[in-house]
Amino acid sequence: MISLKRNSRGELVPATGRRSTEKSSYKPNQANDFKISRSKFSDFLTCPRCFYMDRVLGLDGPGTPGWALNSATDELLKREFDVCREQQIPHRLFKKNGLEHVVPFKHDEMDAWRDALRGGIIQKFEDTNIILTGGVDDIWLDTKTKELIVVDYKSQASLHEVEPISYLNNVYHEGYKLQMDFYNYLLNCRGFKTSSISYFLVVNADRTADGFYEQMKFSETLIPYKNDVSWIPDKVREMIKTMNSNTVPNSHESCENCAYAKVRTEYD
């Protein structure tokens, strides 16, 4: 079976079903530090069984293709905000949204915090050997309260106008809110005071244009989200307890992967 992952030469690699390095798998009650990313924490919340099979048993999925266009919009947005960051002036979007007192946050670790693959915001959880990590898209500073504002860029191409309430209530966007809570939690653990309001910067491609003509136009919408970090510690402790168990959790009734595996087992 061929995986959707590629090697350094851009070649598709075989899907072995197992992780290639021991350090990518956790051994119950191990003493060495072990990193858990925001996305893996999200996996645990979705299905403890699939999370356990991935992180503890080392079963590796086939992977998913990258989203080049989303990565491009993220990169361009970062470059634009970095100009304002260097000059410590409000971005044009701030003035449109009554945020003239806000500037992009300037910090020596900003580039590392935004590098989810090689860095991110890193924080050891309490007195455990679990290190939580997460790569944030951007952080702004409220110059009045001195609080940090966590920002996440989102790209889409919807025919519907971006509207805050419906956007946040979308069942497919629950994970987005988890991201915000998680990033705020990591920053709080690092000693930073964060605002109770975070923002999604949603850029929506215009699909009603007459043609492409070598360009694509996007609308920009700032969506405020009231973050909540209070629930995270208990869930992280629950995750660690699961990781230190020698028993695979039961199938999760709402997990599509578990349901598929069950059907395949019964069929076979």
Side-chain angles (χ1 to χ4, degrees):
M1 181 185 295
I2 296 297
S3 171
L4 293 177
K5 297 178 181 177
R6 295 178 181 271
N7 59 25
S8 59
R9 297 186 297 275
E11 302 166 337
L12 291 171
V13 298
T16 63
R18 291 281 181 179
R19 298 197 172 279
S20 58
T21 59
E22 288 189 6
K23 68 178 182 179
S24 63
S25 297
Y26 181 86
K27 296 180 180 179
N29 299 301
Q30 72 176 45
N32 295 336
D33 288 345
F34 190 80
K35 287 185 178 181
I36 292 290
S37 66
R38 188 275 312 163
S39 62
K40 293 304 176 183
F41 178 57
S42 179
D43 288 347
F44 168 75
L45 297 177
T46 300
C47 180
R49 178 183 177 84
C50 289
F51 169 83
Y52 187 94
M53 295 177 71
D54 173 15
R55 293 292 90 183
V56 179
L57 298 185
L59 299 181
D60 193 17
T64 56
W67 300 94
L69 185 58
N70 296 55
S71 297
T73 55
D74 280 10
E75 183 62 32
L76 293 176
L77 284 169
K78 288 175 181 177
R79 291 179 191 175
E80 186 175 335
F81 278 97
D82 278 348
V83 173
C84 297
R85 192 184 323 277
E86 186 60 33
Q87 301 178 39
Q88 284 296 277
I89 59 174
H91 184 268
R92 54 183 174 77
L93 276 176
F94 299 167
K95 299 176 182 179
K96 295 180 181 178
N97 290 273
L99 300 174
E100 293 89 347
H101 57 290
V102 173
V103 295
F105 184 51
K106 191 173 183 179
H107 193 278
D108 291 341
E109 294 186 75
M110 182 60 67
D111 287 339
W113 289 345
R114 295 189 296 189
D115 188 346
L117 294 179
R118 293 171 293 273
I121 306 171
I122 301 173
Q123 177 64 38
K124 178 172 283 193
F125 181 71
E126 297 180 345
D127 59 350
T128 72
N129 63 330
I130 298 301
I131 298 175
L132 303 176
T133 69
V136 68
D137 280 340
D138 207 349
I139 301 174
W140 300 340
L141 172 67
D142 186 321
T143 60
K144 292 182 178 179
T145 65
K146 305 303 178 182
E147 295 175 329
L148 302 188
I149 302 171
V150 178
V151 184
D152 203 54
Y153 304 147
K154 297 299 180 186
S155 305
Q156 63 178 41
S158 173
L159 292 173
H160 302 290
E161 183 178 350
V162 178
E163 196 277 325
I165 295 178
S166 60
Y167 187 86
L168 292 177
N169 289 339
N170 188 318
V171 65
Y172 295 108
H173 295 168
E174 288 301 312
Y176 294 176
K177 292 182 279 189
L178 182 156
Q179 280 182 279
M180 286 296 203
D181 295 346
F182 193 79
Y183 297 148
N184 275 278
Y185 175 76
L186 291 183
L187 285 169
N188 291 164
C189 289
R190 290 286 301 269
F192 294 98
K193 183 180 180 182
T194 59
S195 171
S196 61
I197 301 298
S198 300
Y199 287 94
F200 293 105
L201 172 49
V202 184
V203 293
N204 188 37
D206 181 9
R207 299 174 60 182
T208 64
D210 295 334
F212 181 59
Y213 304 114
E214 297 184 331
Q215 63 179 344
M216 183 177 290
K217 293 184 178 180
F218 290 81
S219 62
E220 301 169 316
T221 306
L222 269 185
I223 297 180
Y225 165 65
K226 186 174 178 58
N227 60 75
D228 176 17
V229 303
S230 64
W231 62 273
I232 292 181
D234 283 344
K235 281 298 180 180
V236 173
R237 295 186 193 104
E238 184 180 327
M239 177 187 70
I240 295 173
K241 182 178 179 180
T242 298
M243 294 170 67
N244 284 325
S245 172
N246 290 306
T247 303
V248 179
N250 293 326
S251 298
H252 198 283
E253 59 182 14
S254 63
C255 177
E256 294 181 357
N257 290 333
C258 285
Y260 175 76
K262 181 179 181 181
V263 170
R264 286 301 307 172
T265 300
E266 294 174 349
Y267 177 79
D268 294 339

